[in-house]
Amino acid sequence: MRIRFTKMQGAGNDFVVLDETRGPLGLTPAQYRFLADRHFGVGADQVLSVRPSPAPGIDFEYVIHNADGGEVEQCGNGARCFARYVRDKGLTASDVVRVRTVSGVIEPRLNADGRVTVDMGVPVFDPPAIPFDAAGMSPHADGGWQKWHLALGTRAESAIISVAVLSMGNPHAVQEVADVEQAPVATVGPLVEHHPRFPNRVNAGFMQVLDRSRIRLRVWERGTGETLACGTGACAAVVTGIRLGRLGGKVDVETRGGVLTIAWAGEGAPVLMTGPAVTVFEGEIEVPE
């Protein structure tokens, strides 16, 4: 099967974007893995599918598959690329689109400076809704919020880390580090991702607070590994920093791929993420059956 694609990136988080507005391609998990493969396919952190309106008042549906072929609930950098794609392709003339994802409806907005702002929705803190299995555990207070101790193994000498847990449409465990460049992302990240307390796995964030308006961040994304940027991870980290009393209401997040600006007014308010969305190239590829 030969298909057309667009390669895009948002702060270095890269995507293969597929137009399914005229009909589903019906790809299998193996075919999504092929497209995301950096040696044999196009190469991407996620594959984004643009689908037609599923209901009145909604402009598009947005489906996300990680590099391992599994479908996931949300991707903030992908949402910005989605908005840029549908506008550039003439699928909409609007600067604001309403898009349904697995985790709910989002509203990306194209700005005059070329960046895209996405209303990422209200953070979720209730453990079962994240989901996070807190049975038999007690959180410990930190600033104005709380963290959880996670043992990275079953032995008595297993390392224990302290994480803040929340959902931004997908689950996140955020830990603070003194120097993000020295953080053990490649070793601790997978252990957190697959920790049994997270039944759907989890994205592991490593946050270094620079001052009240700036952080550095690295994220080990479930099903993908470390990416150059993670939009929902940036949102989760800033919400964590605000609730802990470390950050103000608007924060620049320095990732390895670029800067994302996150704003949050507090409990019950949505998180707003602003950042770049760039088309890299377009092409066609033969996808194995």
Side-chain angles (χ1 to χ4, degrees):
M1 175 171 55
R2 192 165 188 83
I3 63 173
R4 290 198 58 80
F5 68 87
T6 299
K7 177 68 178 286
M8 303 188 73
Q9 61 90 7
N13 197 185
D14 62 339
F15 310 97
V16 169
V17 186
L18 306 176
D19 184 353
E20 296 190 34
T21 58
R22 296 173 182 84
L25 293 171
L27 300 181
T28 65
Q31 289 170 322
Y32 287 116
R33 288 195 297 271
F34 170 80
L35 287 170
D37 190 285
R38 298 188 184 278
H39 300 286
F40 297 102
V42 181
D45 295 322
Q46 281 98 16
V47 180
L48 313 180
S49 298
V50 182
R51 296 181 181 174
S53 170
I58 305 296
D59 297 306
F60 298 97
E61 186 174 31
Y62 161 44
V63 179
I64 313 144
H65 286 84
N66 273 343
D68 66 357
E71 186 176 348
V72 292
E73 305 94 335
Q74 184 60 282
C75 175
N77 290 322
R80 296 199 315 278
C81 288
F82 183 102
R84 172 63 59 197
Y85 178 90
V86 296
R87 180 63 182 271
D88 289 352
K89 289 295 184 181
L91 298 173
T92 182
S94 177
D95 288 337
V96 180
V97 291
R98 285 177 56 80
V99 184
R100 189 177 76 178
T101 70
V102 170
S103 61
V105 176
I106 58 173
E107 293 190 5
R109 181 180 72 245
L110 283 83
N111 300 321
D113 63 2
R115 298 193 300 168
V116 180
T117 297
V118 184
D119 179 334
M120 296 297 294
V122 178
V124 174
F125 305 113
D126 180 44
I130 293 173
F132 172 59
D133 179 10
M137 301 178 69
S138 296
H140 60 98
D142 189 331
W145 195 27
Q146 61 189 23
K147 291 183 179 178
W148 302 83
H149 287 139
L150 290 183
L152 301 180
T154 57
R155 298 183 178 181
E157 66 273 19
S158 295
I160 296 177
I161 62 171
S162 180
V163 297
V165 178
L166 69 159
S167 172
M168 283 303 314
N170 54 2
H172 288 269
V174 181
Q175 57 183 298
E176 295 180 271
V177 296
D179 183 352
V180 75
E181 291 305 318
Q182 301 300 317
V185 177
T187 53
V188 173
L191 297 177
V192 177
E193 175 191 358
H194 295 280
H195 197 282
R197 292 285 181 175
F198 298 97
N200 292 344
R201 295 183 295 167
V202 71
N203 299 285
F206 299 78
M207 173 179 67
Q208 177 186 356
V209 176
L210 301 175
D211 56 45
R212 290 190 62 79
S213 63
R214 286 191 310 141
I215 66 171
R216 291 192 179 120
L217 179 71
R218 292 169 66 187
V219 180
W220 179 273
E221 294 196 50
R222 57 176 181 166
T224 299
E226 184 179 5
T227 56
L228 292 178
C230 175
T232 57
C235 294
V238 170
V239 169
T240 294
I242 292 172
R243 291 208 72 184
L244 293 174
R246 319 273 202 264
L247 300 173
K250 186 175 182 180
V251 178
D252 284 337
V253 180
E254 299 175 7
T255 74
R256 288 183 163 184
V259 177
L260 301 173
T261 301
I262 310 299
W264 187 51
E267 196 89 23
V271 182
L272 301 179
M273 175 186 61
T274 301
V278 179
T279 295
V280 182
F281 62 87
E282 297 185 333
E284 293 186 358
I285 189 170
E286 189 71 32
V287 178
E289 297 292 342

